[in-house]
Amino acid sequence: MFWIYLILAGVFEVAFASFLKLSEGLSKPIWSILFVVCGALSFFLLCKSLKGIPVGTAYLVWTGI
């Protein structure tokens, strides 16, 4: 289950970066809200995955995705 959390965290991290670009400097409200939500979900899921995966491994996979 921890690996699923980690993979989902990586997917939300990709969405986080994409929505940041689409928000054009946080000037477009819909994309800005999606940016914040995806960022929060990414970090939340990363924290949950750290309960069963070592930090170094989790960070490597999370940033690699």
Side-chain angles (χ1 to χ4, degrees):
M1 192 68 183
F2 297 115
W3 285 101
I4 293 171
Y5 290 149
L6 184 57
I7 291 168
L8 286 173
V11 170
F12 279 114
E13 183 69 15
V14 171
F16 164 81
S18 299
F19 292 142
L20 177 60
K21 182 178 179 175
L22 290 171
S23 74
E24 296 180 9
L26 301 177
S27 64
K28 294 187 175 180
I30 300 285
W31 298 117
S32 299
I33 291 168
L34 289 171
F35 158 73
V36 171
V37 169
C38 285
L41 282 171
S42 178
F43 289 115
F44 173 74
L45 290 169
L46 176 63
C47 290
K48 286 193 64 90
S49 72
L50 290 176
K51 293 180 182 178
I53 301 172
V55 173
T57 304
Y59 183 73
L60 179 70
V61 172
W62 182 64
T63 56
I65 292 174

